[in-house]
Amino acid sequence: MSPWQRLTQHLHWPQQPSASTNQSFTALKRFVSLFLVGISLSLAVASCGQGTTNNPAATPSGATPAANKGNVELTLVSFAVTKAAHEAIIPKFIEQWQKEKGQTVTFNQSYGGSGSQTRAVIDGLEADIVHLALALDTAKIEKAGLIEPGWEKEVPNEGIVSKSVAAIVTREGNPKNIKTWEDLSQDGVKVITADPKTSGVARWNFLALWGSVVKTGGDEAKALDFTSKVYKNVPILTKDAREATDVFFKQGQGDALINYENEILLAGEKGEKPTYTIPEVNVSIDNPIAIVDKNVDKHGTREVAEAFVKFLYTPEAQREFAKLGFRPVDATVAAEPEFVKKYAPIKTLFTAQDLGGWKEIQQKFFDDGAVFDKIQGSIKQ
């Protein structure tokens, strides 16, 4: 595939005419800039596009830009599994902004693996807003000088706008009787998961396994032994969660798949009937939202970007997240009967902060030569 094809697969740009020649020229310059980034970083962008991409959200029917304000574009870069939720939320925000400001907002949207999206933004993909799988990825963009320190204090809930937990998916009828994390370490059980060195969701999977021991009275030696046994049962480490799902469902490999709860619930909304369990000891998979300060200041989009991020925390937006499998961060929405019934309570729920925070987690488990590499090395011996 050519660099141009990779780029156009990754990002789709608005096709409606701009309000003025100057705006057209500005949009063209941004497009060309992203094109050139796509050429020089074709491998990274191709990786980002491995998940899903989509066309910009349509302008609400009958809406026209105010003559004195024109159109405004926002570029949202997010991890793959949020696509359905954002596609439901964005038109609601567009309509609200049009009514309040008389301005038409067009969204450029990019979805893919969180790590790949992070690299693309650092390497030049001019995101105004990033919604990523874990705070570690947002911190990398901050370290690159694109996001100002303290971003998590600028919005509610420490920047966490969506969350999920880990689920164990099994074959129909659950022939291996897999119900707990412990069951994944048994002889003869084949487990499908992604590689935590390359996948955000796979890091959460690893933490769910490790935490299931240390948060229930076990020490780190026991956690290492247990986690090593599980990864010895993994026949292939895929590069991301979407590929892991394909290996399990489409290729028929494995007895169990570790995945986001929201992915499983979304499959159910689409008419599928996956067999799964939500372990009662689990990790809170917290997904942060952040404004990319350097880019919004360059584009002149700070006001609308901040408004969109604020909108994502409203009950209206949180209901859309909840309908599509994400546990709401708004307590009032979480308490609504529809969602109390939908989301099983977790007996022991721990967070990344409970395990030392992402900086410590990365150094301890996922850096070169850290715990995960040692586990892989022992498997290969």
Side-chain angles (χ1 to χ4, degrees):
M1 182 180 292
S2 70
W4 169 258
Q5 290 172 317
R6 292 187 181 101
L7 182 62
T8 54
Q9 181 187 45
H10 185 61
L11 287 171
H12 295 271
W13 300 97
Q15 296 181 355
Q16 71 252 37
S18 300
S20 68
T21 302
N22 286 338
Q23 287 176 327
S24 297
F25 181 66
T26 300
L28 178 60
K29 286 199 298 182
R30 288 177 63 188
F31 177 84
V32 171
S33 173
L34 285 169
F35 178 143
L36 294 174
V37 169
I39 292 176
S40 62
L41 301 167
S42 58
L43 289 177
V45 173
S47 175
C48 296
Q50 190 68 30
T52 54
T53 59
N54 65 298
N55 292 322
T59 301
S61 177
T64 57
N68 63 335
K69 292 190 176 182
N71 297 338
V72 60
E73 291 182 4
L74 280 181
T75 298
L76 169 67
V77 173
S78 189
F79 62 112
V81 299
T82 64
K83 181 176 183 289
H86 281 302
E87 285 185 335
I89 294 168
I90 284 173
K92 296 178 182 293
F93 173 76
I94 290 175
E95 182 177 8
Q96 175 180 296
W97 190 256
Q98 173 71 34
K99 289 178 179 178
E100 292 180 358
K101 302 292 184 177
Q103 196 173 37
T104 300
V105 184
T106 301
F107 280 78
N108 305 314
Q109 300 168 63
S110 172
Y111 300 95
S114 187
S116 298
Q117 297 290 68
T118 299
R119 287 192 297 273
V121 172
I122 292 171
D123 290 335
L125 176 56
E126 293 189 3
D128 296 297
I129 301 165
V130 288
H131 182 190
L132 299 171
L134 60 164
L136 177 67
D137 288 338
T138 313
K140 290 177 181 177
I141 300 175
E142 176 189 335
K143 187 176 180 180
L146 299 175
I147 295 176
E148 293 295 328
W151 57 269
E152 68 278 11
K153 304 298 182 183
E154 299 298 321
V155 291
N157 201 40
E158 294 292 308
I160 304 304
V161 74
S162 61
K163 62 182 181 178
S164 190
V165 294
I168 303 173
V169 188
T170 60
R171 296 298 174 191
E172 184 176 359
N174 194 8
K176 293 291 181 75
N177 197 31
I178 299 167
K179 297 180 179 179
T180 68
W181 297 121
E182 182 67 27
D183 294 333
L184 298 180
S185 68
Q186 302 303 312
D187 291 341
V189 173
K190 298 299 181 184
V191 182
I192 302 299
T193 183
D195 187 343
K197 301 282 282 189
T198 60
S199 166
V201 66
R203 287 190 176 98
W204 287 115
N205 294 349
F206 182 96
L207 296 184
L209 294 167
W210 187 273
S212 72
V213 176
V214 299
K215 292 303 174 182
T216 55
D219 60 18
E220 293 205 341
K222 185 177 179 180
L224 178 61
D225 179 66
F226 166 69
T227 308
S228 298
K229 287 179 179 178
V230 174
Y231 279 94
K232 285 179 181 178
N233 285 345
V234 177
I236 178 174
L237 284 170
T238 64
K239 65 182 178 181
D240 57 35
R242 187 56 51 82
E243 185 178 333
T245 300
D246 288 344
V247 167
F248 185 77
F249 286 108
K250 295 182 179 180
Q251 298 180 23
Q253 294 191 47
D255 303 301
L257 166 71
I258 310 175
N259 206 340
Y260 286 134
E261 176 190 44
N262 59 277
E263 280 279 82
I264 310 308
L265 293 176
L266 182 59
E269 293 289 333
K270 293 180 178 179
E272 300 176 23
K273 297 180 179 180
T275 302
Y276 71 98
T277 184
I278 306 296
E280 62 180 12
V281 180
N282 220 309
V283 62
S284 181
I285 299 173
D286 298 333
N287 318 131
I289 191 89
I291 290 171
V292 185
D293 295 288
K294 185 174 181 179
N295 291 339
V296 296
D297 289 341
K298 176 181 178 180
H299 303 154
T301 54
R302 180 174 290 277
E303 181 186 13
V304 66
E306 289 179 347
F308 178 68
V309 169
K310 183 178 179 181
F311 183 77
L312 293 178
Y313 287 93
T314 65
E316 183 178 14
Q318 284 295 308
R319 286 189 190 96
E320 295 301 329
F321 277 121
K323 288 175 185 176
L324 293 165
F326 291 94
R327 295 185 174 225
V329 300
D330 184 300
T332 60
V333 175
E336 293 177 6
E338 174 186 357
F339 304 125
V340 170
K341 181 179 179 181
K342 186 170 186 174
Y343 296 104
I346 306 297
K347 181 179 179 181
T348 302
L349 185 68
F350 58 92
T351 69
Q353 287 301 119
D354 293 331
L355 296 177
W358 276 108
K359 182 177 181 180
E360 181 177 326
I361 287 169
Q362 177 65 27
Q363 292 174 347
K364 180 176 181 177
F365 296 113
F366 306 124
D367 275 353
D368 290 344
V371 170
F372 183 74
D373 280 353
K374 291 177 180 177
I375 289 174
Q376 289 301 99
S378 68
I379 292 172
K380 295 175 181 178
Q381 291 177 357

